[in-house]
Amino acid sequence: MIEPVLPVRVVDRVLDVPLQNAELPGFMLGAFRTEVGAQAAEHGIIYRPGIEGLGPCPLVRINSACFTGDIFGDTRCDCSEQLQIALQQVLIEPGLVIYHLHHDGRGLGYTQKLAAYKRMLEEGTDSFEAASDVAGRADFREYGSAVAILRNLGISRIRLLTNNPGKRSALEARGIEVVDMVGIVSTREELRPYLLSKQLRQAHQIYHHRNSSGDAV
């Protein structure tokens, strides 16, 4: 379901702060603050090469924060894996990663996300059903801020690094041309039930491994 189209504006930005990480050489950090009405949110970006040199159709990953996976190394989801794959892709070709700090738990927030995790453990539900039980619906994310950031950077055509067609629809509804969706391949067999729930609930295109020819399947 595409969220209602509300006006989002960039109210502050900081660009070109070098990342000190030997595993991600040459990356730069940026930060954006956006507002929707009276509601403000902060977002990070990471990119290579310089933001002005990304070209007419860069590779873009819109990444939702996952404190349990990204910070604490929890392995029940593929969030941290997707982020690392996205960063490695941006090392190879011009692009950027937009990191939505307020998207933890598909926008539920950290407290309700952990409550959903407890529901999953106690009742054996998947993450979508547990979130709906806790918060009324499974996904609260909006992508208007990502569009505002892209437009602020002068980007209107992208290749979108995602398995989620909902992200593509949300961007295109706000005027960003998505010329291609580039899939992210999961390599952990234990995540197959979790990935299948994404496929069932949100029509994700699931790429779980590579065949002998190197193609994602």
Side-chain angles (χ1 to χ4, degrees):
M1 180 178 179
I2 301 171
E3 77 277 2
V5 177
L6 300 174
V8 182
R9 64 192 185 103
V10 171
V11 295
D12 195 15
R13 77 174 193 179
V14 177
L15 297 176
D16 296 330
V17 177
L19 175 68
Q20 296 187 7
N21 184 335
E23 295 181 1
L24 298 171
F27 267 109
M28 307 295 282
L29 298 172
F32 281 80
R33 182 178 175 86
T34 61
E35 285 185 354
V36 185
Q39 202 167 30
E42 291 188 316
H43 324 272
I45 66 169
I46 183 167
Y47 52 94
R48 180 182 177 273
I51 204 72
E52 70 284 348
L54 293 178
C57 190
L59 183 69
V60 174
R61 168 68 181 170
I62 300 173
N63 203 89
S64 298
C66 177
F67 299 156
T68 49
D70 297 342
I71 298 174
F72 303 124
D74 190 275
T75 59
R76 81 188 66 216
C77 65
D78 63 337
C79 299
S80 180
E81 183 179 12
Q82 288 194 66
L83 176 60
Q84 294 308 312
I85 290 172
L87 292 173
Q88 292 302 317
Q89 286 290 105
V90 175
L91 270 175
I92 297 169
E93 58 183 302
L96 74 154
V97 175
I98 298 173
Y99 191 88
H100 280 320
L101 294 170
H102 67 302
H103 272 189
D104 194 32
R106 301 191 187 102
L108 270 71
Y110 189 60
T111 302
Q112 287 193 311
K113 174 184 173 180
L114 292 189
Y117 278 0
K118 285 197 69 175
R119 186 70 61 92
M120 291 167 63
L121 291 169
E122 292 167 356
E123 300 184 8
T125 59
D126 68 19
S127 61
F128 293 92
E129 186 175 349
S132 294
D133 290 343
V134 167
R137 71 176 196 260
D139 196 334
F140 288 80
R141 291 174 294 181
E142 59 80 28
Y143 299 100
S145 291
V147 171
I149 291 168
L150 290 172
R151 292 199 177 283
N152 186 271
L153 296 171
I155 298 170
S156 60
R157 300 177 73 247
I158 66 170
R159 298 170 63 232
L160 185 62
L161 186 58
T162 187
N163 299 335
N164 184 358
K167 286 186 181 181
R168 179 177 197 160
S169 298
L171 297 186
E172 291 179 334
R174 292 177 178 266
I176 298 296
E177 182 182 356
V178 180
V179 302
D180 190 21
M181 277 177 57
V182 181
I184 296 180
V185 181
S186 172
T187 59
R188 289 194 284 138
E189 182 64 30
E190 68 271 18
L191 284 178
R192 183 175 289 276
Y194 171 74
L195 297 176
L196 289 176
S197 74
K198 285 186 174 184
Q199 186 178 46
L200 175 66
R201 304 285 190 171
Q202 291 187 324
H204 280 223
Q205 299 175 8
I206 300 302
Y207 305 94
H208 196 269
H209 63 278
R210 295 185 180 275
N211 62 24
S212 58
S213 300
D215 297 324
V217 297

